[in-house]
């Protein structure tokens, strides 16, 4: 039984399917106006070292809807590892709160919070992984396409934290994923090897756009320069330009393929307006599901 959500690789296939089922059930319940309060009387501290719209609002709203109370700690406030060490922050927080949600630069910071705090820790994005995003996206893909096992998802762009979490997901739940990226921007080699070893579906990396996108049921992209890589923006714009998701690239996928993006999007760079605003785009459904997927995680880890 998992105590924290640091990486989807730490969960079993059943754990992930259970979270997805709970997320779907809670989404339905919310739409029917039914409430449940498994976090009644509980508090959750939320550490944000990086900016956020979706993650912050969906966690805070989710905690509120589940009857709990969320406390946001901005990076300037606690100065993670600077004003105080990460283990000491963990040892303080565990005395007061029932769970910790953390978005940090270093992945080790979230791992350390989990190691030193006795309460559950939820990874809200690190430089390495973004598991909550992929849970919400998987829920979305199921809603639009049904069974994942027969699908091919083409992740076009940087083999970054979101891509790595998709690889971890596919190591546990059958899904074929092809990362289509420029040379040198492949996903973390350890995570790639792990996914290729464990996955029931195919995990492929190619630099060839036509080969990679052809026949895909979903085309996913993300920013070319992630938070913390702003200095590389100009160079990355040049390198990633051929990998822009535009109408021509989407035409390589199946005619009814969906377009996915974790957001925020840099329109005109990794994706064009016509694709973002097309009927194929399900980007705001993904954003909506952040609420439901994370409520499932909060219920499972922190709920009574
Ligand atoms: N997708 C996502 O995590 O969005 P935010 O950075 O706005 O939280
Ligand atoms: N890869 C992006 C995801 C943002 C939600 C980043 O880390 O900035």
């Amino acid at each position: 039984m998992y105590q924290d959500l640091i990486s989807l690789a730490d969960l079993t296939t059943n754990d992930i399917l259970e979270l997805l089922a709970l997320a779907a059930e809670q989404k339905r319940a919310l739409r029917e106006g039914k409430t449940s309060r498994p976090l009644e009387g509980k508090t959750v501290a939320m550490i944000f070292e990086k900016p956020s719209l979706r993650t912050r609002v969906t966690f805070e709203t989710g905690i509120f809807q589940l009857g709990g109370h969320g406390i946001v700690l901005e990076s300037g406030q606690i100065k993670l590892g600077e004003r105080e060490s990460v283990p000491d922050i963990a040892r303080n927080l565990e005395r007061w709160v029932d769970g910790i949600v953390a978005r940090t630069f270093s992945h080790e910071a979230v791992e350390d919070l989990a190691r030193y705090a006795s309460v559950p820790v939820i990874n809200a994005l690190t430089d390495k992984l973004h598991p909550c995003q992929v849970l919400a996206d998987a829920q979305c893909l199921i809603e639009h396409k049904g069974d994942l096992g027969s699908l091919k998802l083409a992740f076009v762009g940087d083999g970054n934290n979101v891509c790595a979490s998709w690889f971890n997901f596919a190591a546990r739940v059958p899904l074929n994923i092809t990362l289509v990226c420029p040379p040198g921007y492949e996903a973390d080699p350890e995570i790639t090897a792990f996914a290729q070893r464990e996955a029931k579906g195919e995990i492929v990396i190619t630099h060839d756009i036509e080969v990679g996108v052809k026949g895909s049921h979903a085309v996913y992209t993300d920013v070319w320069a992630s938070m913390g890589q702003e200095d590389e923006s100009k160079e990355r714009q040049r390198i990633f330009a051929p990998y822009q998701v535009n109408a021509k690239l989407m035409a390589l996928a199946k005619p009814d393929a969906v377009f996915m993006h974790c957001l925020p999007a840099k329109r005109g760079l990794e994706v064009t307006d016509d694709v973002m605003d097309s009927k194929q785009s399900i980007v705001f459904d993904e954003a909506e599901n952040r609420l439901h997927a994370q409520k499932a995680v909060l219920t499972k880890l922190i709920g009574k």
Side-chain angles (χ1 to χ4, degrees):
M1 171 61 192
Y2 61 108
Q3 304 294 323
D4 307 290
L5 176 55
I6 307 300
S7 164
L8 293 174
D10 302 334
L11 274 58
T12 65
T13 303
N14 264 350
D15 292 335
I16 294 176
L17 295 179
E18 209 177 87
L19 284 174
L20 291 173
L22 184 56
E25 189 186 310
Q26 288 182 331
K27 182 172 182 175
R28 222 171 11 250
L30 183 69
R31 287 189 171 170
E32 288 167 4
K34 294 181 190 146
T35 53
S36 66
R37 298 171 65 83
L39 262 61
E40 183 88 59
K42 307 223 175 203
T43 54
V44 181
M46 292 180 279
I47 297 171
F48 280 95
E49 255 197 320
K50 294 179 177 181
S52 170
L53 171 67
R54 280 146 291 273
T55 308
R56 160 136 191 207
V57 173
T58 52
F59 265 113
E60 200 163 339
T61 302
I63 292 163
F64 173 77
Q65 288 180 358
L66 295 171
H69 177 67
I71 304 165
V72 173
L73 302 162
E74 305 285 358
S75 67
Q77 200 173 353
I78 56 167
K79 296 198 170 77
L80 203 75
E82 197 183 312
R83 184 169 181 265
E84 202 162 2
S85 75
V86 173
D88 281 353
I89 290 173
R91 291 177 185 120
N92 276 269
L93 287 175
E94 70 171 11
R95 301 292 179 114
W96 312 310
V97 303
D98 303 286
I100 301 169
V101 169
R103 165 168 289 195
T104 59
F105 286 93
S106 109
H107 188 69
E108 290 69 32
V110 167
E111 286 181 330
D112 279 350
L113 284 170
R115 185 168 305 124
Y116 292 100
S118 55
V119 296
V121 173
I122 300 170
N123 178 357
L125 180 146
T126 65
D127 286 347
K128 188 172 178 181
L129 295 173
H130 197 3
C132 293
Q133 179 70 51
V134 168
L135 280 177
D137 292 341
Q139 183 187 358
C140 206
L141 200 50
I142 293 167
E143 288 167 352
H144 284 271
K145 293 279 170 205
D147 177 44
L148 298 182
S150 55
L151 302 183
K152 171 182 173 183
L153 180 143
F155 191 103
V156 182
D158 190 18
N160 60 16
N161 45 5
V162 175
C163 177
S165 282
W166 268 117
F167 278 8
N168 280 334
F169 178 87
R172 298 294 182 234
V173 179
L175 172 67
N176 304 292
I177 304 185
T178 300
L179 167 62
V180 192
C181 66
Y185 293 88
E186 295 82 4
D188 178 306
E190 258 180 57
I191 294 174
T192 304
F194 164 76
Q196 286 175 333
R197 195 173 61 240
E198 301 272 323
K200 292 214 171 66
E202 281 193 349
I203 304 294
V204 176
I205 299 182
T206 178
H207 308 308
D208 186 322
I209 296 163
E210 195 156 341
V211 169
V213 179
K214 205 169 169 202
S216 54
H217 303 83
V219 176
Y220 198 115
T221 194
D222 185 8
V223 287
W224 292 336
S226 285
M227 291 180 274
Q229 298 173 330
E230 289 79 5
D231 290 356
E232 299 172 32
S233 289
K234 281 275 157 296
E235 193 195 352
R236 282 172 173 262
Q237 279 178 33
R238 184 179 54 74
I239 294 167
F240 282 87
Y243 294 82
Q244 180 188 64
V245 179
N246 49 34
K248 190 169 157 233
L249 185 143
M250 282 303 290
L252 297 168
K254 291 212 176 283
D256 61 348
V258 290
F259 168 69
M260 303 180 78
H261 193 311
C262 55
L263 305 181
K266 289 258 188 269
R267 287 170 178 256
L269 294 182
E270 76 273 6
V271 59
T272 52
D273 279 335
D274 56 343
V275 172
M276 265 289 279
D277 301 328
S278 69
K279 283 211 178 81
Q280 287 168 277
S281 174
I282 58 169
V283 300
F284 300 111
D285 293 346
E286 295 172 72
E288 181 191 337
N289 281 355
R290 296 294 305 280
L291 174 66
H292 309 300
Q294 288 157 198
K295 277 171 74 179
V297 174
L298 289 162
T299 303
K300 194 81 199 151
L301 292 181
I302 307 172
K304 290 179 200 154

PDB file of all heavy atoms in Angstrom, residues 48 51-56 103 124-125 130 133 227 262-264 290, ligand 1:
ATOM      1  N   PHE A  48       4.548  25.631  -2.901  1.00  0.00           N
ATOM      2  CA  PHE A  48       4.733  25.970  -4.317  1.00  0.00           C
ATOM      3  C   PHE A  48       6.029  26.753  -4.506  1.00  0.00           C
ATOM      4  O   PHE A  48       6.087  27.930  -4.208  1.00  0.00           O
ATOM      5  CB  PHE A  48       3.531  26.773  -4.838  1.00  0.00           C
ATOM      6  CG  PHE A  48       2.352  25.902  -5.168  1.00  0.00           C
ATOM      7  CD1 PHE A  48       1.342  25.697  -4.238  1.00  0.00           C
ATOM      8  CD2 PHE A  48       2.268  25.262  -6.393  1.00  0.00           C
ATOM      9  CE1 PHE A  48       0.265  24.867  -4.527  1.00  0.00           C
ATOM     10  CE2 PHE A  48       1.198  24.427  -6.695  1.00  0.00           C
ATOM     11  CZ  PHE A  48       0.196  24.229  -5.764  1.00  0.00           C
ATOM     12  N   PRO A  51       5.569  28.638 -10.231  1.00  0.00           N
ATOM     13  CA  PRO A  51       4.226  29.174 -10.484  1.00  0.00           C
ATOM     14  C   PRO A  51       3.212  28.067 -10.794  1.00  0.00           C
ATOM     15  O   PRO A  51       3.607  26.953 -11.156  1.00  0.00           O
ATOM     16  CB  PRO A  51       4.418  30.039 -11.743  1.00  0.00           C
ATOM     17  CG  PRO A  51       5.871  30.170 -11.960  1.00  0.00           C
ATOM     18  CD  PRO A  51       6.545  29.039 -11.240  1.00  0.00           C
ATOM     19  N   SER A  52       1.940  28.393 -10.649  1.00  0.00           N
ATOM     20  CA  SER A  52       0.890  27.417 -10.974  1.00  0.00           C
ATOM     21  C   SER A  52      -0.464  28.115 -11.079  1.00  0.00           C
ATOM     22  O   SER A  52      -0.770  29.006 -10.286  1.00  0.00           O
ATOM     23  CB  SER A  52       0.810  26.348  -9.883  1.00  0.00           C
ATOM     24  OG  SER A  52      -0.335  25.546 -10.077  1.00  0.00           O
ATOM     25  N   LEU A  53      -1.260  27.704 -12.031  1.00  0.00           N
ATOM     26  CA  LEU A  53      -2.675  28.078 -12.069  1.00  0.00           C
ATOM     27  C   LEU A  53      -3.511  26.834 -11.723  1.00  0.00           C
ATOM     28  O   LEU A  53      -4.153  26.750 -10.684  1.00  0.00           O
ATOM     29  CB  LEU A  53      -3.074  28.596 -13.463  1.00  0.00           C
ATOM     30  CG  LEU A  53      -4.577  28.803 -13.667  1.00  0.00           C
ATOM     31  CD1 LEU A  53      -5.107  29.934 -12.805  1.00  0.00           C
ATOM     32  CD2 LEU A  53      -4.891  29.078 -15.142  1.00  0.00           C
ATOM     33  N   ARG A  54      -3.444  25.832 -12.616  1.00  0.00           N
ATOM     34  CA  ARG A  54      -4.277  24.643 -12.500  1.00  0.00           C
ATOM     35  C   ARG A  54      -4.045  23.865 -11.199  1.00  0.00           C
ATOM     36  O   ARG A  54      -4.990  23.521 -10.491  1.00  0.00           O
ATOM     37  CB  ARG A  54      -4.030  23.692 -13.689  1.00  0.00           C
ATOM     38  CG  ARG A  54      -4.759  24.107 -14.950  1.00  0.00           C
ATOM     39  CD  ARG A  54      -3.943  23.760 -16.169  1.00  0.00           C
ATOM     40  NE  ARG A  54      -2.777  24.616 -16.216  1.00  0.00           N
ATOM     41  CZ  ARG A  54      -2.770  25.826 -16.790  1.00  0.00           C
ATOM     42  NH1 ARG A  54      -3.828  26.255 -17.398  1.00  0.00           N
ATOM     43  NH2 ARG A  54      -1.692  26.610 -16.756  1.00  0.00           N
ATOM     44  N   THR A  55      -2.777  23.574 -10.913  1.00  0.00           N
ATOM     45  CA  THR A  55      -2.484  22.702  -9.772  1.00  0.00           C
ATOM     46  C   THR A  55      -2.924  23.356  -8.466  1.00  0.00           C
ATOM     47  O   THR A  55      -3.543  22.724  -7.615  1.00  0.00           O
ATOM     48  CB  THR A  55      -0.982  22.381  -9.750  1.00  0.00           C
ATOM     49  OG1 THR A  55      -0.626  21.906 -11.047  1.00  0.00           O
ATOM     50  CG2 THR A  55      -0.649  21.340  -8.712  1.00  0.00           C
ATOM     51  N   ARG A  56      -2.612  24.633  -8.346  1.00  0.00           N
ATOM     52  CA  ARG A  56      -2.953  25.329  -7.108  1.00  0.00           C
ATOM     53  C   ARG A  56      -4.469  25.412  -6.924  1.00  0.00           C
ATOM     54  O   ARG A  56      -5.003  25.096  -5.861  1.00  0.00           O
ATOM     55  CB  ARG A  56      -2.331  26.730  -7.131  1.00  0.00           C
ATOM     56  CG  ARG A  56      -3.003  27.633  -6.170  1.00  0.00           C
ATOM     57  CD  ARG A  56      -2.154  28.486  -5.360  1.00  0.00           C
ATOM     58  NE  ARG A  56      -2.987  29.077  -4.331  1.00  0.00           N
ATOM     59  CZ  ARG A  56      -2.730  30.223  -3.762  1.00  0.00           C
ATOM     60  NH1 ARG A  56      -1.644  30.881  -4.083  1.00  0.00           N
ATOM     61  NH2 ARG A  56      -3.511  30.698  -2.829  1.00  0.00           N
ATOM     62  N   ARG A 103       5.133  21.276  -4.974  1.00  0.00           N
ATOM     63  CA  ARG A 103       5.678  21.537  -6.313  1.00  0.00           C
ATOM     64  C   ARG A 103       7.047  22.174  -6.104  1.00  0.00           C
ATOM     65  O   ARG A 103       7.145  23.277  -5.562  1.00  0.00           O
ATOM     66  CB  ARG A 103       4.763  22.473  -7.094  1.00  0.00           C
ATOM     67  CG  ARG A 103       5.432  23.065  -8.323  1.00  0.00           C
ATOM     68  CD  ARG A 103       4.473  23.762  -9.252  1.00  0.00           C
ATOM     69  NE  ARG A 103       3.615  22.823  -9.931  1.00  0.00           N
ATOM     70  CZ  ARG A 103       2.869  23.115 -11.006  1.00  0.00           C
ATOM     71  NH1 ARG A 103       2.909  24.324 -11.521  1.00  0.00           N
ATOM     72  NH2 ARG A 103       2.113  22.207 -11.565  1.00  0.00           N
ATOM     73  N   ALA A 124       3.274  17.547  -6.752  1.00  0.00           N
ATOM     74  CA  ALA A 124       2.466  18.432  -7.597  1.00  0.00           C
ATOM     75  C   ALA A 124       3.295  18.983  -8.759  1.00  0.00           C
ATOM     76  O   ALA A 124       2.946  20.007  -9.320  1.00  0.00           O
ATOM     77  CB  ALA A 124       1.901  19.570  -6.748  1.00  0.00           C
ATOM     78  N   LEU A 125       4.352  18.318  -9.107  1.00  0.00           N
ATOM     79  CA  LEU A 125       5.301  18.590 -10.216  1.00  0.00           C
ATOM     80  C   LEU A 125       6.688  18.865  -9.648  1.00  0.00           C
ATOM     81  O   LEU A 125       6.857  19.667  -8.726  1.00  0.00           O
ATOM     82  CB  LEU A 125       4.880  19.784 -11.089  1.00  0.00           C
ATOM     83  CG  LEU A 125       5.787  20.163 -12.285  1.00  0.00           C
ATOM     84  CD1 LEU A 125       4.976  20.700 -13.463  1.00  0.00           C
ATOM     85  CD2 LEU A 125       6.857  21.184 -11.888  1.00  0.00           C
ATOM     86  N   HIS A 130       5.483  14.624 -13.157  1.00  0.00           N
ATOM     87  CA  HIS A 130       4.213  15.335 -12.905  1.00  0.00           C
ATOM     88  C   HIS A 130       3.081  14.294 -12.891  1.00  0.00           C
ATOM     89  O   HIS A 130       2.234  14.255 -13.782  1.00  0.00           O
ATOM     90  CB  HIS A 130       4.001  16.385 -14.001  1.00  0.00           C
ATOM     91  CG  HIS A 130       2.984  17.427 -13.669  1.00  0.00           C
ATOM     92  ND1 HIS A 130       2.323  17.491 -12.463  1.00  0.00           N
ATOM     93  CD2 HIS A 130       2.505  18.472 -14.410  1.00  0.00           C
ATOM     94  CE1 HIS A 130       1.497  18.518 -12.467  1.00  0.00           C
ATOM     95  NE2 HIS A 130       1.585  19.128 -13.631  1.00  0.00           N
ATOM     96  N   GLN A 133      -0.794  15.244 -13.157  1.00  0.00           N
ATOM     97  CA  GLN A 133      -1.192  15.639 -14.511  1.00  0.00           C
ATOM     98  C   GLN A 133      -1.598  14.418 -15.334  1.00  0.00           C
ATOM     99  O   GLN A 133      -2.633  14.405 -16.008  1.00  0.00           O
ATOM    100  CB  GLN A 133      -0.008  16.358 -15.187  1.00  0.00           C
ATOM    101  CG  GLN A 133      -0.296  16.785 -16.606  1.00  0.00           C
ATOM    102  CD  GLN A 133      -1.296  17.913 -16.666  1.00  0.00           C
ATOM    103  OE1 GLN A 133      -1.136  18.910 -15.988  1.00  0.00           O
ATOM    104  NE2 GLN A 133      -2.343  17.769 -17.464  1.00  0.00           N
ATOM    105  N   MET A 227       9.418  25.158 -16.724  1.00  0.00           N
ATOM    106  CA  MET A 227       9.755  26.100 -15.653  1.00  0.00           C
ATOM    107  C   MET A 227      11.164  25.795 -15.143  1.00  0.00           C
ATOM    108  O   MET A 227      11.465  24.631 -14.842  1.00  0.00           O
ATOM    109  CB  MET A 227       8.732  25.985 -14.520  1.00  0.00           C
ATOM    110  CG  MET A 227       7.357  26.488 -14.916  1.00  0.00           C
ATOM    111  SD  MET A 227       6.144  26.347 -13.599  1.00  0.00           S
ATOM    112  CE  MET A 227       5.566  24.660 -13.814  1.00  0.00           C
ATOM    113  N   CYS A 262      -0.880  19.729 -21.386  1.00  0.00           N
ATOM    114  CA  CYS A 262      -1.082  19.886 -19.938  1.00  0.00           C
ATOM    115  C   CYS A 262      -1.397  21.328 -19.562  1.00  0.00           C
ATOM    116  O   CYS A 262      -1.978  21.580 -18.522  1.00  0.00           O
ATOM    117  CB  CYS A 262       0.141  19.389 -19.178  1.00  0.00           C
ATOM    118  SG  CYS A 262       1.670  20.183 -19.706  1.00  0.00           S
ATOM    119  N   LEU A 263      -0.994  22.277 -20.423  1.00  0.00           N
ATOM    120  CA  LEU A 263      -1.139  23.717 -20.195  1.00  0.00           C
ATOM    121  C   LEU A 263      -0.251  24.145 -19.014  1.00  0.00           C
ATOM    122  O   LEU A 263      -0.049  23.344 -18.113  1.00  0.00           O
ATOM    123  CB  LEU A 263      -2.594  24.113 -19.949  1.00  0.00           C
ATOM    124  CG  LEU A 263      -3.595  23.679 -21.036  1.00  0.00           C
ATOM    125  CD1 LEU A 263      -5.001  24.157 -20.664  1.00  0.00           C
ATOM    126  CD2 LEU A 263      -3.205  24.226 -22.412  1.00  0.00           C
ATOM    127  N   PRO A 264       0.274  25.336 -18.983  1.00  0.00           N
ATOM    128  CA  PRO A 264      -0.009  26.424 -19.913  1.00  0.00           C
ATOM    129  C   PRO A 264       0.644  26.204 -21.270  1.00  0.00           C
ATOM    130  O   PRO A 264       1.738  25.637 -21.340  1.00  0.00           O
ATOM    131  CB  PRO A 264       0.609  27.652 -19.223  1.00  0.00           C
ATOM    132  CG  PRO A 264       1.718  27.097 -18.391  1.00  0.00           C
ATOM    133  CD  PRO A 264       1.267  25.741 -17.954  1.00  0.00           C
ATOM    134  N   ARG A 290      -8.040  17.691 -13.584  1.00  0.00           N
ATOM    135  CA  ARG A 290      -7.054  17.836 -12.516  1.00  0.00           C
ATOM    136  C   ARG A 290      -7.777  17.822 -11.169  1.00  0.00           C
ATOM    137  O   ARG A 290      -7.317  17.219 -10.205  1.00  0.00           O
ATOM    138  CB  ARG A 290      -6.254  19.148 -12.675  1.00  0.00           C
ATOM    139  CG  ARG A 290      -5.403  19.232 -13.929  1.00  0.00           C
ATOM    140  CD  ARG A 290      -4.280  18.231 -13.932  1.00  0.00           C
ATOM    141  NE  ARG A 290      -3.436  18.347 -12.746  1.00  0.00           N
ATOM    142  CZ  ARG A 290      -2.477  19.265 -12.592  1.00  0.00           C
ATOM    143  NH1 ARG A 290      -2.209  20.119 -13.555  1.00  0.00           N
ATOM    144  NH2 ARG A 290      -1.753  19.305 -11.481  1.00  0.00           N
TER     145      ARG A 290
HETATM  146  N1  LIG B   1      -0.658  21.727 -15.921  1.00  0.00           N
HETATM  147  C1  LIG B   1      -0.276  22.330 -14.792  1.00  0.00           C
HETATM  148  O1  LIG B   1       0.302  21.719 -13.884  1.00  0.00           O
HETATM  149  O2  LIG B   1      -0.618  23.645 -14.728  1.00  0.00           O
HETATM  150  P1  LIG B   1      -0.077  24.683 -13.666  1.00  0.00           P
HETATM  151  O3  LIG B   1       1.404  24.801 -13.864  1.00  0.00           O
HETATM  152  O4  LIG B   1      -0.795  25.972 -13.971  1.00  0.00           O
HETATM  153  O5  LIG B   1      -0.391  24.183 -12.297  1.00  0.00           O
END
